[in-house]
Structure formats: structure tokens, C-alpha cells
Amino acid sequence: PLYYFDDNNKFIFCSEIKPIISIVKKNIDFDYREISKFLPFLFLPNDEKTSFKGIKKIKPGTALIIDKYNNKKYIEYFNISDLPLRSEKDINYNELDELINKVISNQSLSDVPLSVFLSGGLDSSTILHYLDQNNFKNLDTFTIKNTNDSDDSEGNEIDYPFAVEIANKYKANLHTIDVNMDFLNDIKKLIYILEEPISDPAPNSLL
């Protein structure tokens, strides 16, 4: 997201929170009311607020316009609730297939080699499938294997067999990153880098 701070004297924006705090140069308190909402929902449900008082983020699907007098105006360019609801019987699967293929093909334009962060789940497997359909062969893929995870834990160890299966199916080069993360010892580092609460364990292993 795009974060910003505005006290009517200065407007600071950045893709990360830490630089904003360093520029403001004053104590910015945690917003414990917002943080407390993470516990039942496992995400921060307010599109604008963050874990820090005074620091907000641009809402998804909107643009913020500011004139020289510091007048602000939000323009909404996309709202998912405006899309028509379709029942399963109304879905044209050929049309859906063509649309996903077109989107992934367009996003694959690059002047550097492409790779895929592969968990073996629906999202990454779909991306690899359509890249393969577009003649991206022998792609480098990467997956995480947390050596601290037990077989019945929630984490990246469970993803690993599925990533191997999908990589083999599409003859992709699978690079396994073995990590040995001690969550309690690394928690300060995780908080510093992630900046806000996140329930997905994958970034923890990467960091």
C-alpha cells in the first residue's frame, strides 16, 4: 500500500512506514484500537488506518489528489462491489481461461529472467500453468522449507510436497530455500521489517 502522513504542514508519502517515521521526527504512538482488531480478524479491517496513529494508507481502488492549498480529494476508480454477481452456471469457463491467460501473458513482459515463488497452492500453480502455456519453459521456481516446522504444524513445510509436485508437472527448476527460523528470537526483526501485523507465515520464513 501507499502510506502517508499529513498534519496540514507537511504531506509525506512512501511505500513503507519506517521512512515516514524517520522524517516526521517525533514519537508516533501505536494505534492499539486498530491493532486489537487483528486478533479476531487476522488482518486490519480498516482500509485507511494503520497500526500507527497519524499514518494512513490510500484505500484500494482509489487515488488521492492534493492541490497546492492542501485540499484533498479521493477519486475511486475501482470498486469490486460494482462488479455484477454471477452464479456458477453463468460463468463462461472458456472466456475465463482466455482472460486469465491474457492477464498473465501481459504481466510476463520483462527485461530480466522470470521466476515464480511456488507454494503449490492455487495462485502460484495457476501462474506457472499459464506461463507454461505461453512457452515459458524450464522456469526457475522457488519455494521455502522451514526445517523447524513439524509435520502437523501450520507453515511452509506442508507446502513443500505440493510445490515439488507442481514443479515436476511443468518441468520447472525448483530451488528450495531451507530456513531455520527461531520465531521468538527473530520477532523483533520481523516486526521491524513487516511493520504491520500479518497472519501469513511465509514472509516470516523469507525474512
Side-chain angles (χ1 to χ4, degrees), residues 10 15 17 21 25 41 84 114 129 132 136 138 140 155 170 180 200:
K10 53 183 171 291
S15 59
I17 292 176
I21 294 176
K25 294 182 178 178
F41 296 113
L114 285 177
H129 167 78
D132 182 79
F136 286 91
N138 301 314
D140 286 317
Y170 292 102
N180 187 4
D200 187 347

Side-chain angles (χ1 to χ4, degrees), residues 41 46 50 54 88 97 115 176 185 192:
F41 296 113
N46 192 304
T50 68
E88 185 175 350
D97 175 69
S115 61
T176 302
N185 287 333
Y192 176 79

Side-chain angles (χ1 to χ4, degrees), residues 96-189:
L96 180 62
D97 175 69
E98 291 176 3
L99 181 61
I100 296 175
N101 184 59
K102 179 180 178 181
V103 169
I104 293 179
S105 176
N106 290 342
Q107 293 296 319
S108 65
L109 296 175
S110 175
D111 55 0
V112 295
L114 285 177
S115 61
V116 178
F117 182 31
L118 186 63
S119 69
L122 177 62
D123 296 341
S124 60
S125 300
T126 299
I127 291 171
L128 183 57
H129 167 78
Y130 283 99
L131 286 174
D132 182 79
Q133 294 294 303
N134 283 276
N135 293 317
F136 286 91
K137 304 298 182 181
N138 301 314
L139 274 172
D140 286 317
T141 63
F142 296 84
T143 193
I144 296 169
K145 187 176 182 182
N146 193 336
T147 56
N148 270 358
D149 284 341
S150 60
D151 290 340
D152 59 350
S153 68
E154 181 182 358
N156 308 106
E157 179 77 8
I158 295 175
D159 291 341
Y160 180 70
F162 298 105
V164 172
E165 181 178 349
I166 295 299
N168 288 338
K169 175 179 174 62
Y170 292 102
K171 297 180 173 58
N173 301 316
L174 181 63
H175 304 274
T176 302
I177 303 172
D178 291 315
V179 296
N180 187 4
M181 188 189 72
D182 188 333
F183 183 80
L184 291 179
N185 287 333
D186 293 337
I187 191 167
K188 288 186 177 180
K189 178 183 177 183

Side-chain angles (χ1 to χ4, degrees), residues 19-32:
I20 296 177
I21 294 176
S22 68
I23 295 173
V24 172
K25 294 182 178 178
K26 70 176 184 179
N27 291 329
I28 293 183
D29 294 328
F30 291 114
D31 191 333
Y32 292 105

